[in-house]
Amino acid sequence: MSTISPTAPAPDRAPDAAKPADSPLKAVLGRWETLILGLIVVVFIIGAMISSEFLTGDSLTTGSSDFTEYALLALPLTLIIATGEIDLSVASILALSSALMGSLWNDGLPMEAIIPICLVAGAVCGLLNGWLVTGLGLPSLAVTIGTMALFRGLAYVILGDESVTSFPTDYTDWAFGTFAGTVVPNPIVLFIVLAIVFALLLHRTPFGRSVFAIGANKQAARFSGIRVDRIQLRLFVLSGVIAALAGIILTLRNSTAAANVGQGFELTAIAAVVLGGVSIFGGTGTVGGVILGLILLGGIQKALNLNPDISTYWVQIVTGILLVGSVLVPNIAARVREARRVSNTRGGRPSRPGRPAVSTTGSGGEGTTNA
C-alpha cells in the first residue's frame, strides 16, 4: 500500500529572519553620517597641517560666520528635497531681500519696518514658487530655474548696480559680534536655534512624517489622506522666508546691500543637504546629517582659502565633486545592497520546487521514494 506525504525538502539554510541582528556598533559605523564625521576629522587635520591658523578662535569665528547664509538656506531646502522637490531660487530671493532692504533704507524707512517687509517679500516669492508647483503641477526644477532669473532681475530693477551702505550700527554690530564673548558668531546662534526647530519639526511631528511620506511615494501619501499640495506650498513659503532672512543677515554682516550678492549660494546649500544624507529623490535624510555636511564644506572652504598657493576656484571644484559623489555613492551602495538581498533570497530557496514524497509500506520493510 502506498501513501503520498506532502513533505517538501528542507531548505539548504535557515531563512534570513533567523540571522542574528547587526550589533549597535556596526549599525552606527554603517551610517552615512558616520562617514561624513570621519571626513570632517580628516579635513580638520589637513587644514591644521596647511595653516597653523586653521584651528584658532579667530579662524573658527570668521569661517562659521562666512558660512551662515549657506547654513540658513540649507534648513528649508532639507525639507523641500526630502519631499522630492527642489528650490533653486533661494539665492535670488536672498539677493532680492538685500536689494529691497537697501532701497527701503535709502527711502528713509526704519529697520524695524524694513526687516518685516523683506520677510514678507520672501514669503511672497516662496508662495509664487509653491503655487506654480502645486497649483499648476509644474516641475519644481523648471519653475525655480525660471524664478531664479526672475527674482534676480527684480533685485536689479529695485536697486540697480549701486550698493547701499551705512546701516545702523546696532544691527551691524550684532551681525559682526559674537555670542556672550565666545568665538561663536551671533548669526550662528540664530542658525542653531532654527536648526533645533527644524529638527523637531522634521523628526518629532506628524508634519515631518508627512514630509518623508511625500518623498517616499507622493501618490500613496495622497491616498493615505496627507494633504500633499498644502504641505509643499508651506515648505516653499518657508524657504522664501528663510532665504529673505539670510539676505538680511548677509547685508548686515557686510554692511552693504546689493543686487549681485549670493550668486551660487544655492548650489553650495544643496550640496550640503545632499552631502548630509538627504536623498535627492526624497524620502530620507536628517537635519543632523545636513549640519555635518555644512561643517565639512565649511572646513574645506576655510582650509583652501588659508593656502595662498591654492586658487579660490578650487572651492567650487571640490563642492561640485562632493555634490556628485554624495549622489553617486549612496546609489551605488543601494544597488550593492539590493544585489546582495536578491542573492541571499535566491540562495535561501530550494534549487527546485518541493515535490511530494511517496512513502511505500510493504511486507519487506519501509522505504521512501520521490514520486
Side-chain angles (χ1 to χ4, degrees):
M1 178 177 180
S2 298
T3 61
I4 298 179
S5 174
T7 304
D12 296 337
R13 60 188 182 118
D16 291 343
K19 292 182 179 179
D22 291 339
S23 66
L25 178 60
K26 185 177 180 180
V28 170
L29 292 178
R31 291 180 62 88
W32 178 260
E33 290 85 351
T34 305
L35 172 61
I36 300 302
L37 186 60
L39 291 176
I40 290 173
V41 174
V42 172
V43 167
F44 273 60
I45 293 174
I46 295 175
M49 294 172 60
I50 290 176
S51 173
S52 58
E53 300 179 0
F54 181 78
L55 295 178
T56 62
D58 289 342
S59 177
L60 293 176
T61 299
T62 56
S64 58
S65 182
D66 291 342
F67 228 68
T68 301
E69 292 76 33
Y70 302 110
L72 289 173
L73 296 178
L75 289 177
L77 281 173
T78 299
L79 275 65
I80 289 177
I81 294 176
T83 64
E85 303 292 347
I86 195 72
D87 186 357
L88 295 175
S89 68
V90 287
S92 295
I93 297 175
L94 178 152
L96 178 60
S97 174
S98 179
L100 183 60
M101 188 175 180
S103 177
L104 294 175
W105 179 249
N106 270 346
D107 292 339
L109 270 69
M111 292 298 297
E112 293 78 10
I114 292 175
I115 291 176
I117 291 174
C118 291
L119 294 177
V120 170
V124 171
C125 293
L127 183 62
L128 175 61
N129 283 334
W131 176 73
L132 291 173
V133 172
T134 62
L136 299 184
L138 302 177
S140 58
L141 178 62
V143 166
T144 56
I145 286 176
T147 55
M148 175 175 63
L150 171 63
F151 300 148
R152 180 72 66 174
L154 286 175
Y156 278 104
V157 169
I158 291 172
L159 198 58
D161 293 327
E162 65 176 303
S163 59
V164 178
T165 57
S166 303
F167 289 98
T169 55
D170 290 344
Y171 290 89
T172 55
D173 287 347
W174 175 86
F176 279 120
T178 58
F179 180 74
T182 64
V183 298
V184 181
N186 288 322
I188 286 296
V189 175
L190 175 62
F191 164 74
I192 292 172
V193 172
L194 289 176
I196 293 172
V197 173
F198 272 80
L200 293 175
L201 179 65
L202 183 60
H203 302 299
R204 292 292 184 269
T205 66
F207 182 86
R209 290 191 288 273
S210 297
V211 167
F212 286 126
I214 294 170
N217 191 319
K218 185 179 295 186
Q219 198 63 29
R222 291 185 193 276
F223 289 145
S224 66
I226 295 175
R227 296 179 175 179
V228 174
D229 293 341
R230 178 179 294 185
I231 289 175
Q232 290 186 324
L233 180 63
R234 291 176 178 176
L235 291 181
F236 278 105
V237 172
L238 181 61
S239 179
V241 172
I242 298 298
L245 176 62
I248 294 170
I249 292 176
L250 179 62
T251 300
L252 295 177
R253 280 203 316 109
N254 296 333
S255 193
T256 302
N260 62 349
V261 296
Q263 295 185 13
F265 279 23
E266 69 280 348
L267 295 181
T268 302
I270 292 172
V273 172
V274 178
L275 184 62
V278 180
S279 173
I280 197 68
F281 306 107
T284 60
T286 64
V287 173
V290 172
I291 293 174
L292 291 177
L294 288 164
I295 294 173
L296 178 60
L297 285 177
I300 292 173
Q301 177 176 307
K302 190 64 178 180
L304 294 177
N305 288 338
L306 284 174
N307 191 330
D309 298 328
I310 299 178
S311 170
T312 56
Y313 293 112
W314 276 101
V315 174
Q316 300 177 9
I317 295 173
V318 172
T319 300
I321 293 173
L322 289 175
L323 179 57
V324 173
S326 59
V327 176
L328 181 63
V329 173
N331 276 273
I332 293 176
R335 292 185 180 186
V336 170
R337 286 195 299 268
E338 179 65 16
R340 288 180 176 177
R341 186 190 67 80
V342 172
S343 177
N344 291 337
T345 302
R346 290 174 177 173
R349 295 173 178 172
S351 57
R352 57 177 180 171
R355 308 175 76 180
V358 177
S359 177
T360 305
T361 304
S363 59
E366 297 181 356
T368 303
T369 61
N370 287 333

